[in-house]
Amino acid sequence: MKTLSLFLLGLVITLSQPLWAEAVDVGYMEPAAEITAIVDAPPPPAASLSPDGRWLLSLERPALPSLADLAEPEYRLAGMRFNPRNQGPSQPRYLSGVQLIELDNQQAKSIRGLPRNLRVLSATWSPDSRYLALLQLEQDHTALWRVDVERGRAERWSKVKVNAIRGGELQWSADSQAVYLLAVDPKRGAEPAAPAVPAGPVVTEVRGRTAPARTYQDLLQNSHDEALFNHYMASQLVRVGLNNRIQVITEAKPYLGFSLAPDNQHLLTTRLTEPYSYAVPMFRFGRTSEVLNRRGELLYTVEQQPLADNLPIAFDAVVDSRRAIQWRSDQPATLVWAQAQDGGDPRQAADTRDQLLQLAAPFTAEPTPLLDMQYRFASMLSAEDGTSLVWERWWQDRQEKLWLLTDTEPKLLWQRSYEDRYGDPGTPLTRLDANGNRVLRLDDGAILLTGAGASDDGDRPFIDRMQLHSGETERLWRSEAPYYEYPITLRADGRLLTQRESIDTPPDFYLRDLQNGALTAVTQTPHPMPHTLGISREMIHYQREDGVPMSATLLLPAGYDKERDGPLPTIIWAYPREFRSSAAAGQVSGSPHRFNRISYWNPQFLATQGYAVLDSATMPIVGEGDNEPNDSFIEQLVMNSKAAIEAGVSRGVTDPERVALGGHSYGAFMTANVLAHSDLFRAGIARSGAYNRSLTPFGFQREQRTLWDDTDLYIRMSPFFHAEKIKTPLLLIHGAEDNNSGTFPMQSERLYQAIKGNGGTTRLVMLPLESHGYRARESVLHMLWETVNWLDEFVKNAEPRKTD
């Protein structure tokens, strides 16, 4: 069987002839007006609370950018995409509006002097809440702006040009008199010119050294790429004062980031070091972490990590050096880090996997061990009195531990499966201290926990008070039907800032008094798409044939009457997820009380076109005991699909002869597999998927085995190798510039060729300038037009199937 499998792998080569001989330029099309209105509806605002709790900053984003935005210059280097013109991220998700709201009187305050074309990457509060620092994207640079909150006045803050190709890191000083950031060297020259003639071939070599790597995109290709990468990554670490004075702390180097110590006298910096690699992206490159003083003088080298191109592909694999290096937020200048005790390889037997250590300034002593961990270090959170919480996790078993560290022996607060949403105790609330450091919020020896509150009835967010010494928990508040309300932060006066919504009421911000339950509205948002108000939404529950509970969100057209209109054509949309237990797989996620904002990304918009929609249908892939989830991937997909169809049929809303299946990314992979191994559906929609797992040989999604560990598994799970069975019409859509690991555009091109060559029915739509998710308005509207036309032809208006 393995010999046959390897022979089949070779067939990939024979299917590589040019695809575009039959391509047709149809231009960008638009769907019906009611669908376009859904796309153009403004997204809900986000919010940021000032450190003193007085101001709410409301943040607005545009609905969708245009193709012209996506067509701006873009470089693709070392797994990163950025705009070389303004030294910012490629295709950024920016803020187009900011507004101040005083919480105590709910009065909005306008901000004068903002840039006319507001494109803000980030907005950061000063510790004293007097200022906001904004990073504004211009055409040819990224600028620093400052907002004086009391005056409601914005102005350009110095002439510094920010290096924001990785998002634009910025940190305020504790006294709120300056910000630290990475800036472009004003003396930097022009970018390196590409050689007219190559200097020679690009050669890479390995001699017996094991260096597996998943399928990454946008990697460095040659020495000119390296030169460009160094040119644009090089940044000066600078301090910009309120008086506009710029202090240059370091010369330009390829910095990944920096962090100011709580004492504001020490800086932790991390920069890339050569040699680089053409096989892995930037996050695997060598790096050096150092502690500098505010004059840029080296005080301590924390770690010199070499190129990490030989990590095992297991999800619990880590580098065999100091990692997760950070400042303790509760001490003036103390470093903490994790270090593997098993060589970073989860396949090695070890009682202790990771050790957490710390070292205080002046960094001349030996590091002090804080905690030996059975799993991998995940995160640490400290309070000002020396109390710390430390999380450790182990992916293979989905286990999590939480430790309490004080001046006594470490205490285990809980150990649990993090797959268990129903049993999730929550995440501790934090606050900003006087220096702007985020610390653990303590309440007389207790912590406050907030979480989704998952249950059989859906998510009901909560706040609990947990005594650290006893572990006893008291519930302070829980979201109540018919609303979905979740906490954002707790103010110093004890009032909770929340965001609240219901089925027909869009999300708004509220202040809730936890003592008496009094609720004060802070914002009032109009319904963004009133023409969809009649569409019904219901969370439904059902089981697959082996008893695993499942759920989906059922949407039905406005005015639909089951008795009058009968069963409807139906679309099922899903994304497979792996679980280590049936109990976790059957847990409900989501809430029936969320605002019914009709999505254009998922197929909810089809309810405007007469379809029943089973959205977010659970598609669990369970592997218990010694069995891995993917051992029965195909069988479970088909079983899940049958259960979802029957759920709609049993309610009288689904015509079993007119059902389609669809998904994006791994959901597209699912769709092609189900169509290859069953005849349950009349059509399929597969967007930006991967279909040939021999092209992702070192693992994919949550699969840790390689192609050479289990060749038959890779063949069995690849719809490409079963393309002759795909007779159900399949619409393939893919971003022509997809940079997601594994989902190369050629994945859809090759599956199209394979189905076409075997006499199937398929259509391939390649969206120019688009990556893994489609962002331009023109692209999204065309995607929806293609979807409606395909489903109308092959599902809604399908002829009855012929029977023997």
Side-chain angles (χ1 to χ4, degrees), residues 560-570 610 612 648-649 651-656 658:
Y560 171 71
D561 183 279
K562 182 166 55 178
E563 300 301 324
R564 180 191 66 211
D565 302 323
L568 298 174
T570 299
V649 172
R651 286 164 175 77
V653 300
T654 292
D655 179 353
R658 294 188 297 163

Side-chain angles (χ1 to χ4, degrees), residues 422-438:
Y422 289 5
D424 185 359
T427 302
L429 288 181
T430 61
R431 64 178 182 83
L432 293 177
D433 66 11
N435 292 332
N437 300 301
R438 186 153 298 279

Side-chain angles (χ1 to χ4, degrees), residues 246-294:
I246 300 173
Q247 176 195 350
V248 178
I249 298 172
T250 69
E251 63 184 32
K253 297 178 181 178
Y255 282 107
L256 282 173
F258 69 92
S259 177
L260 189 62
D263 68 357
N264 269 242
Q265 301 302 310
H266 298 81
L267 286 153
L268 173 64
T269 65
T270 301
R271 55 184 170 83
L272 296 174
T273 54
E274 298 186 72
Y276 299 148
S277 170
Y278 296 178
V280 293
M282 176 180 63
F283 68 83
R284 292 276 196 94
F285 288 1
R287 60 185 62 188
T288 295
S289 297
E290 299 169 326
V291 176
L292 314 177
N293 63 21
R294 294 204 312 177

Side-chain angles (χ1 to χ4, degrees), residues 328 330 380-383 386-390 403-406 440:
R328 278 193 66 145
D330 61 328
M380 179 177 182
L381 189 57
S382 299
T387 299
S388 294
L389 299 179
V390 176
W403 292 92
L404 171 65
L405 301 187
T406 57
L440 176 67

Side-chain angles (χ1 to χ4, degrees), residues 82-138:
F82 62 91
N83 185 334
R85 182 182 295 169
N86 62 15
Q87 204 81 16
S90 175
Q91 302 182 16
R93 297 181 182 273
Y94 55 81
L95 303 172
S96 57
V98 293
Q99 184 182 49
L100 288 165
I101 301 172
E102 193 166 6
L103 284 177
D104 287 336
N105 58 24
Q106 297 84 56
Q107 294 298 309
K109 185 171 189 173
S110 61
I111 302 175
R112 306 181 308 278
L114 286 168
R116 184 181 302 274
N117 180 25
L118 195 65
R119 301 173 76 223
V120 172
L121 270 181
S122 65
T124 308
W125 287 98
S126 64
D128 64 5
S129 302
R130 289 186 58 190
Y131 302 103
L132 280 163
L134 309 179
L135 295 184
Q136 162 72 7
L137 286 170
E138 302 292 354

